[in-house]
Amino acid sequence: MAHAAPRTIQWHRPMTSAEHDLHRGALIRALLLGLVYGVWAAMMKRDTGPVTVGNVFYGILCGVLFAAVMYGLARFGPLLMRELHAAAYGVFAGVAVGYLHSLTNQSVLRSTVVGLFTGIGVGVMAFYRYYTRED
């Protein structure tokens, strides 16, 4: 009688090349958008004055934080329900745009309204995307 050979225990499944490309694409996308966000924030903070070391570090800090949050959402967002995933992207976009708008020396209320409407728009679009591409 033939018996199956004992199998070693796998604690995680190996990553396929398609999954590796998705994670790599998410990292590249996050880094590029973080670069754009950091440069934009540094330019707005500078307010047509001279470029200083503080402006450069401020831009780097904003870009790194933006890229880290965006990569985290791209990596761990699919584990959430589609409603929470869309809401997370909406909140992230609303906070990011509202913060950039606050750097223009407008009122806090106006920055909040701009961030709120941006977040609602991005959240609705993300929910539509996740709802129509459901498994």
Side-chain angles (χ1 to χ4, degrees), residues 13-100:
R13 64 182 177 85
M15 187 181 291
T16 63
S17 64
E19 289 174 332
H20 181 69
D21 289 342
L22 283 175
H23 294 309
R24 186 173 172 203
L27 178 63
I28 291 171
R29 195 170 31 253
L31 289 175
L32 288 176
L33 287 176
L35 177 69
V36 170
Y37 189 85
V39 168
W40 194 349
M43 284 189 340
M44 293 186 70
K45 183 76 169 171
R46 182 170 68 99
D47 196 28
T48 68
V51 176
T52 62
V53 175
N55 290 111
V56 172
F57 284 130
Y58 183 77
I60 291 171
L61 177 67
C62 287
V64 166
L65 288 175
F66 183 91
V69 173
M70 187 170 180
Y71 182 69
L73 277 176
R75 226 12 236 274
F76 301 110
L79 301 176
L80 300 172
M81 296 183 325
R82 63 179 173 218
E83 294 87 2
L84 290 176
H85 192 189
Y89 269 107
V91 168
F92 173 61
V95 168
V97 170
Y99 180 70
L100 279 181

